[in-house]
Amino acid sequence: MTPFDRPPVGMNLARTSKLVAQAFDAALVEAGGTLPVWLTLLSVKSSELANQRELAGMIGIQGATLTHHLNAMEAQGLLTRRRDPDNRRVHLVELTQAGEAMFVKLRAAALVFDKRLRTGLPDDRLAEFAEVLAVLRANAAPAK
């Protein structure tokens, strides 16, 4: 017997998050990508000539992990990297035509998946859910 009359919020959220993340990644794989590729393409697309440090921060990964992904994506012809003429230590990342095409393809898959997740949920419930998630994030943050 547990002290809870229903599953703890954190455990329920973690299980749901893992299941949704796996299903989303599967949808992206079916479209020809992966979650790291999608996050990288989305981040590059949303910021002009982003440098690698900024990209890692936007995606929420370490620089070394991003370098691994960028190397693979560059080898696939999805992006290019070049040194910033104002700061030779910084690499600027840009999408190629193939990267733009992959972005469009994965964006379509992400939209279809999002529509699937929203099925049966009216806008007011989704807005309330977003508020609940914001409170959970705030409650989980380290105390100041």
Side-chain angles (χ1 to χ4, degrees):
M1 184 87 176
T2 68
F4 302 101
D5 56 349
R6 63 183 79 169
V9 172
M11 185 177 4
N12 199 359
L13 182 62
R15 285 179 178 166
T16 302
S17 175
K18 184 174 181 175
L19 178 69
V20 170
Q22 288 171 340
F24 184 46
D25 195 45
L28 293 172
V29 167
E30 189 174 314
T34 62
L35 184 58
V37 168
W38 167 240
L39 293 175
T40 303
L41 293 172
L42 182 62
S43 296
V44 172
K45 186 79 171 159
S46 65
S47 61
E48 259 184 60
L49 295 177
N51 70 51
Q52 287 186 211
R53 184 177 310 132
E54 292 168 344
L55 282 176
M58 284 187 260
I59 296 169
I61 59 177
Q62 298 294 317
T65 303
L66 177 65
T67 299
H68 169 74
H69 292 303
L70 292 178
N71 287 342
M73 292 174 70
E74 192 170 32
Q76 295 168 11
L78 299 176
L79 55 82
T80 60
R81 290 181 285 181
R82 63 180 173 85
R83 297 224 183 251
D84 183 339
D86 298 328
N87 184 348
R88 303 281 302 151
R89 294 177 294 158
V90 173
H91 285 91
L92 301 175
V93 181
E94 294 178 279
L95 299 185
T96 62
Q97 278 189 311
E100 293 282 351
M102 180 63 77
F103 172 81
V104 169
K105 196 173 179 183
L106 295 182
R107 179 180 59 192
L111 291 171
V112 167
F113 185 79
D114 188 65
K115 185 176 180 181
R116 177 177 142 199
L117 279 181
R118 291 169 178 264
T119 300
L121 294 169
D123 287 344
D124 61 329
R125 298 243 359 243
L126 287 168
E128 183 179 357
F129 180 59
E131 291 171 11
V132 169
L133 290 175
V135 172
L136 291 173
R137 281 191 302 274
N139 290 347
K144 292 180 181 182

